[in-house]
């Protein structure tokens, strides 16, 4: 409990000789003492109320920057490579905020766990770099992804899917994939390197989309022509539609109607005013 400056807002002063104090002065002092006590306890109560309100806000938003640990997120015996990558993400502003949202899904028990992707012979897959998100915090990976120099960026992408779907089973939705790649792009940019996103042509579309979006708001920049933005958005979705990893049975476009903003989770992640 913290009071304001000074416990008592007054002090007793003797004027002349203390033998000459008159009852009226003592009565006045008594009122001052009572007033001071009221102010003191009101200050304490008000301070406690403010503290409780602040704690509620912090609890609700999980803004515990710098205090979240890898062990709060990953189950025991997780691969050391992914522990290291998670620590790297935590050490980044955007990454830390994302993992606070992930942590909020299961604050009492770590739930993110990893499962190696096997090849047709049942051995760890080494022929390509790949990761995926299943449900309930399960992240699949190839051995090639685990030893990749930018594995933190790949893992960030999957953590964003955990955030998108609140730990539930993900949908095969190209718009959601596009949003995750955009989040990955902003994360990589904050670490001052180029994002690892499929190929050169798709990277160009991601860069163009990102140019319309404010890095500190997650929404469209002021003065942006929405129609131009929407055209680039649909072009990127069409590109994913032609990619074998994002087309076929079960996949949907997820395209939002014209006039709407498609990247609400990205905005929640990047918006510094929330």
């Amino acid at each position: 409990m913290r009071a304001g400056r000074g416990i008592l807002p007054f002090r007793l002063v003797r004027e002349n000789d203390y033998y000459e104090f008159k009852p009226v002065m003592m009565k006045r002092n008594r009122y001052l003492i009572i007033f001071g006590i009221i102010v003191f306890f009101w200050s304490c109560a008000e301070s406690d109320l403010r503290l409780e309100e602040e704690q509620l806000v912090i609890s609700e938003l999980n803004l515990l920057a710098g205090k979240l640990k890898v062990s709060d997120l990953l189950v025991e015996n997780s691969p050391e490579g992914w522990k290291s990558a998670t620590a790297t993400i935590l050490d980044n502003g955007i990454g830390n905020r994302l993992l606070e949202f992930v942590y909020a899904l299961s604050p009492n028990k770590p739930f993110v766990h990893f499962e190696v992707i096997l090849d047709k012979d049942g051995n760890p897959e080494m022929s390509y770099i790949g990761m995926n998100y299943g449900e309930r915090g399960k992240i699949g990976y190839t051995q090639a992804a685990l030893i990749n120099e930018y594995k933190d960026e790949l893992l960030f992408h999957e953590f964003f899917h955990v955030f998108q779907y609140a730990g539930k089973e993900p949908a095969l939705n190209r718009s959601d994939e596009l949003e995750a790649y955009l989040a990955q792009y902003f994360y990589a940019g904050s670490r001052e390197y180029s994002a690892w996103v499929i190929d050169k042509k798709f990277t160009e579309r991601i860069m163009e989309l990102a140019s319309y979006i404010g890095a500190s708001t997650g929404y469209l920049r002021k003065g942006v022509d929405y129609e131009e933005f929407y055209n680039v958005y649909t072009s990127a979705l069409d590109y994913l539609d032609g990619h074998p990893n994002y087309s076929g049975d079960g996949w949907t476009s997820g395209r939002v109607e014209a006039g709407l903003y498609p990247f609400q989770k990205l905005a929640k992640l990047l918006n510094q005013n929330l």
Side-chain angles (χ1 to χ4, degrees), residues 23-258:
V24 66
M25 291 294 296
M26 296 179 65
K27 185 175 181 180
R28 182 184 302 170
N29 287 338
R30 185 167 66 250
Y31 290 152
L32 287 174
I33 291 172
I34 294 171
F35 175 76
I37 291 171
I38 292 172
V39 169
F40 171 68
F41 283 107
W42 173 257
S43 175
C44 290
E46 188 178 33
S47 177
D48 286 345
L49 285 172
R50 285 198 302 267
L51 183 58
E52 288 175 5
E53 289 172 355
E54 290 170 2
Q55 289 173 337
L56 285 172
V57 170
I58 291 172
S59 175
E60 184 179 356
L61 298 179
N62 282 297
L63 300 182
L64 308 175
K67 295 185 178 180
L68 195 62
K69 303 185 297 295
V70 172
S71 59
D72 295 327
L73 297 155
L74 309 186
V75 300
E76 291 185 16
N77 302 319
S78 293
E80 290 299 322
W82 295 128
K83 288 182 181 179
S84 174
T86 302
T88 300
I89 295 171
L90 278 171
D91 197 40
N92 171 270
I94 295 175
N96 189 282
R97 184 171 171 86
L98 173 62
L99 293 186
E100 291 291 356
F101 286 126
V102 172
Y103 170 75
L105 298 173
S106 181
N108 298 318
K109 183 180 180 181
F111 77 110
V112 175
H113 56 286
F114 299 89
E115 185 175 285
V116 66
I117 296 172
L118 305 177
D119 62 20
K120 61 181 181 179
D121 298 320
N123 299 313
E125 180 61 70
M126 287 291 296
S127 64
Y128 68 93
I129 297 171
M131 298 189 73
N132 59 55
Y133 169 61
E135 61 179 313
R136 298 178 183 175
K138 183 178 75 175
I139 296 177
Y141 68 96
T142 65
Q143 200 66 20
L146 181 59
I147 63 175
N148 185 271
E149 181 181 2
Y150 301 106
K151 59 180 174 288
D152 64 293
E153 185 184 330
L154 304 177
L155 181 57
F156 179 95
H157 183 106
E158 302 309 322
F159 274 135
F160 190 82
H161 282 318
V162 178
F163 169 49
Q164 275 181 321
Y165 296 109
K168 299 177 183 178
E169 183 177 2
L172 299 178
N173 184 305
R174 283 187 285 273
S175 187
D176 287 346
E177 284 295 336
L178 184 56
E179 183 178 37
Y181 276 118
L182 272 171
Q184 180 183 338
Y185 176 85
F186 280 107
Y187 168 75
S190 71
R191 300 201 63 218
E192 299 182 348
Y193 60 76
S194 300
W196 180 290
V197 287
I198 303 182
D199 56 30
K200 182 179 178 180
K201 289 185 177 179
F202 185 68
T203 298
E204 290 173 353
R205 286 169 170 80
I206 287 291
M207 291 177 65
E208 189 172 4
L209 267 179
S211 70
Y212 293 109
I213 299 170
S216 62
T217 65
Y219 290 105
L220 296 182
R221 297 177 184 274
K222 290 183 179 180
V224 163
D225 185 305
Y226 176 84
E227 187 174 350
E228 285 184 14
F229 163 78
Y230 191 77
N231 287 338
V232 176
Y233 165 67
T234 56
S235 173
L237 289 178
D238 291 343
Y239 186 84
L240 286 179
D241 188 21
H243 194 283
N245 289 348
Y246 302 104
S247 57
D249 293 343
W251 277 95
T252 61
S253 169
R255 180 181 308 178
V256 302
E257 296 179 5

